[in-house]
Amino acid sequence: MQFFHFPHPIALESGGTLPELTIAYTTYGQLNEKKSNVVWVCHALTANSDAADWWKGIVGPQHVIDPEKYFIICANILGSCYGSSGPLSINPATGQPYFHSFPLVTIRDMVKAHILLRQHLGIEKIFLLMGGSMGGYQAMEWCVMEKDVIDHLFLLATSPTESAWGIATHTAQRLAIEADCTWQNPSPSAGAKGLKAARAIGMLTYRNYGIMVQQQSDDNTEKLDHYKASAYIQYQGDKLVLRFNAYSYWLLTKSMDSHHLARGRGEALPAVLQNIHQRTLVVGISSDILCPLAEQQFLAAHLPHATLIAIDSNYGHDGFMVESAAISLHLADWLR
């Protein structure tokens, strides 16, 4: 992991300002002489800049996005707790962490930070820009904001707007965090129990009825408590609390809610998508209930140079992470 510090004020889409900015990022491989082999990976909600770690089977040696072939960059998003400026960062005006005072950030603000890093690294062209879920939100925004910088676009389990279903889910998650009696405490651990509950809500949308019944049903018909499905949800909540932060989770779900590619652009959504001229591979997961296949079908219908692949998987939204073998085959074939 490396860090880029931008020591100047950054105006945010909400009207707020950050007095300075730090971006944590990770690179793999080497930039070729023509500077034509850049792959930029945009990550989703609780991931970090180490794409080779969280996207195993896609990014890394001998995978489809191989550092022997590509110069791969992944930057931690603005508002996260993995090194980039976020609620746990120190506010230079007070000398204390921002906590609740960190301003609202949008997907466009995150892309603005990515662009600052791109310029710092001297990257003029991105051969392939790719992202799943919230990472896809960033990738689409970037193609609109810098249409001549990106050559190819790869989108997975994503949408050009946040749906009412997604906003409702995120609101329920934030209500869980806000109900934690520690949430207003000025402490890095504030809202930890609420974050566990928020993750539990999220897991019900990342998976689905079929995969939960298949994997988490109990064989013991005599049980009255301590069910396998309950233990699984408890485990997933505890695991996130150990590695993430409630302030960032609350903030970033707000960022996702604000996602609308047509906002402020004076055109309807289909017209905005028509202006994304990059050759695009769109992948959807058949059982996804958070970003259902209908959303990728909408993308493919309006992006002028799109190819749509539907992967038949029981893993729901998490399929964009789990089904790496199938995704790799389709991506490798498309890149030929």
Side-chain angles (χ1 to χ4, degrees):
M1 186 188 297
Q2 303 174 68
F3 296 91
F4 165 57
H5 183 66
F6 186 77
H8 307 289
I10 302 295
L12 302 173
E13 193 183 3
S14 65
T17 303
L18 282 176
E20 59 186 22
L21 179 66
T22 296
I23 304 170
Y25 67 99
T26 303
T27 66
Y28 318 84
Q30 299 293 326
L31 189 63
N32 64 16
E33 289 186 11
K34 295 181 179 180
K35 298 184 178 181
S36 62
N37 67 331
V38 175
V39 173
W40 199 298
V41 180
C42 296
H43 73 72
L45 175 60
T46 65
N48 55 40
S49 67
D50 189 0
D53 179 63
W54 56 260
W55 216 353
K56 291 180 173 68
I58 303 289
V59 178
Q62 300 181 21
H63 297 314
V64 60
I65 305 301
D66 191 334
E68 287 294 319
K69 182 176 182 180
Y70 299 110
F71 180 52
I72 307 159
I73 306 166
C74 183
N76 184 222
I77 55 175
L78 183 64
S80 182
C81 55
Y82 285 127
S84 292
S85 294
L88 298 186
S89 301
I90 299 299
N91 182 346
T94 65
Q96 299 296 320
Y98 281 98
F99 294 139
H100 288 288
S101 66
F102 195 83
L104 176 69
V105 295
T106 66
I107 302 297
R108 293 181 193 176
D109 295 324
M110 296 172 190
V111 174
K112 189 174 182 179
H114 292 337
I115 291 170
L116 289 173
L117 177 59
R118 176 190 68 74
Q119 293 168 340
H120 168 70
L121 295 174
I123 302 298
E124 298 172 359
K125 278 281 187 180
I126 296 172
F127 169 72
L128 175 63
L129 179 63
M130 57 190 289
S133 189
M134 186 186 186
Y137 297 0
Q138 299 159 57
M140 282 181 277
E141 279 287 353
W142 200 341
C143 284
V144 175
M145 293 169 70
E146 287 198 315
K147 63 180 182 179
D148 296 325
V149 170
I150 294 106
D151 290 333
H152 300 84
L153 179 62
F154 179 34
L155 304 171
L156 303 94
T158 194
S159 173
T161 70
E162 187 59 80
S163 68
W165 169 248
I167 293 169
T169 299
H170 299 152
T171 301
Q173 292 176 301
R174 289 192 297 272
L175 286 171
I177 292 172
E178 292 163 5
D180 186 326
C181 63
T182 69
W183 174 233
Q184 293 301 326
N185 295 348
S187 164
S189 62
K193 290 183 178 179
L195 177 59
K196 178 178 177 178
R199 184 62 163 184
I201 295 167
M203 288 305 301
L204 300 180
T205 65
Y206 300 151
R207 298 299 175 97
N208 55 48
Y209 175 89
I211 196 68
M212 196 67 74
V213 169
Q214 177 187 327
Q215 295 190 341
Q216 305 301 331
S217 292
D218 283 280
D219 295 328
N220 182 357
T221 59
E222 303 305 313
K223 276 189 174 182
L224 294 177
D225 201 354
H226 307 297
Y227 295 102
K228 186 177 179 181
S230 178
Y232 174 75
I233 291 297
Q234 295 272 358
Y235 165 74
Q236 292 292 343
D238 288 335
K239 189 167 70 167
L240 185 71
V241 169
L242 290 174
R243 70 173 181 86
F244 211 71
N245 176 262
Y247 290 108
S248 284
Y249 201 93
W250 189 96
L251 179 78
L252 294 178
T253 58
K254 282 276 191 180
S255 302
M256 285 193 287
D257 289 354
S258 76
H259 172 56
H260 199 301
L261 212 60
R263 184 179 60 254
R265 292 190 164 125
E267 294 181 300
L269 186 58
V272 175
L273 290 171
Q274 282 286 330
N275 291 327
I276 296 178
H277 63 80
Q278 286 80 8
R279 180 170 173 259
T280 305
L281 177 62
V282 181
V283 170
I285 306 297
S286 62
S287 59
D288 190 346
I289 63 171
L290 186 58
C291 285
L293 187 58
E295 296 185 342
Q296 292 87 62
Q297 291 168 336
F298 180 88
L299 280 172
H302 295 289
L303 292 168
H305 305 293
T307 299
L308 175 65
I309 299 292
I311 292 178
D312 188 18
S313 168
N314 293 328
Y315 280 94
H317 190 64
D318 274 353
F320 91 90
M321 301 286 292
V322 177
E323 301 289 359
S324 58
I327 292 167
S328 292
L329 286 174
H330 291 296
L331 179 56
D333 183 62
W334 181 77
L335 285 172
R336 287 193 182 97

